[in-house]
Amino acid sequence: MTTDHIVAADREQAVTEEVLASFDATPDPRLREVMHSLVRHLHAFARDVRLSEREWETAIEFLTRAGHITDEHRQEFILLSDVLGLSMLTVAINEPSAPGATESTVFGPFFVDTAPEVPLGGDIARGASGIRCYVSGQVRSVTGEPIDGARIEVWEADQDGFYDVQYPDGRSAGRGWLRSGENGEYRFWSVLPAPYPIPHDGPVGDLLAATARGPMRPAHLHFMVTASGFRTLITHIFVAGDPYLGCDAVFGVKQDLVVEAIHHLDGPAPDGSHPETGWASIAFDLILATHDGR
Ligand code: BEZ
Ligand code: FE
């Protein structure tokens, strides 16, 4: 290294040290730890890529566009976290260690907390387009006890790959919640999920395009399951055979969450009904861990 390089490296390190010290008096120890680590890694990143001023401006413009496109229906920063794998890394860091518990995956931006309750065996599609799909299974603990009364929230895109909230007409479809029955059993009608692109008409879409990455997610059904004494489970069922299982734009696929959808040409369905056209069925048990990971 030349003397010039040594002087430049010292100058850079001095900036980092000064910024680190500025957070030394943070009263909350966790916030102090997080800010120190953030500064160390952010500065190391800038040094690593030898960040130019033009590139830094481009990044600021990118974040500004992300802010401008974000509103109550669109959250570009979560999308950015998703495509960078930060959402799934956070899921992995916080995953319960209980062997046998259903694995978690990304929450996504399309959950709505005002979805209607449907009875056990009811219809959460409520007009969403697609092949009728009967979903059933059992909610239980990792030690095998059935969990009755668990609240099961379900949401999904229709066969065109759109969630109800993405339509401008204010519809509510493809979502609902139900409670597991006495033996932990659950069942409902939905539509067979379809693959769809994450919103890619904003800066995150531009980033995907610039890096030759696709915006598609494999077909999936979202679940959030809550039961007293258990950790909330946020997960999906993915449909086996989907062409995008190996290249989910948000890295949410886990092998244990990939399930076969069985296609039936005619009825009767398990609930005795006779769907007019072909229908599908999916069986999937939801296994919850307790708060201490058991
Ligand atoms: C979703 O599955 O709904 C989703 C997840 C992450 C980003 C966009 C959509
Ligand atoms: Fe989704």
Side-chain angles (χ1 to χ4, degrees), residues 163 196 217 220 222:
Y163 287 83
Y196 66 84
R217 295 216 65 205
H220 60 273
H222 290 259

Side-chain angles (χ1 to χ4, degrees), residues 116 230 249 262 274:
F230 293 89
I262 299 171
H274 287 262

Side-chain angles (χ1 to χ4, degrees), residues 230-247:
F230 293 89
R231 284 178 59 126
T232 296
L233 170 67
I234 293 170
T235 197
H236 304 352
I237 291 175
F238 292 94
V239 182
D242 188 285
Y244 298 103
L245 283 171
C247 55

Side-chain angles (χ1 to χ4, degrees), residues 220-283:
H220 60 273
L221 197 61
H222 290 259
F223 282 86
M224 178 163 69
V225 188
T226 45
S228 164
F230 293 89
R231 284 178 59 126
T232 296
L233 170 67
I234 293 170
T235 197
H236 304 352
I237 291 175
F238 292 94
V239 182
D242 188 285
Y244 298 103
L245 283 171
C247 55
D248 182 1
V250 302
F251 310 99
V253 178
K254 290 177 172 173
Q255 216 38 54
D256 287 355
L257 303 178
V258 179
V259 181
E260 204 76 47
I262 299 171
H263 291 261
H264 309 265
L265 288 179
D266 42 34
D271 62 354
S273 68
H274 287 262
E276 275 172 25
T277 51
W279 54 284
S281 62
I282 291 176

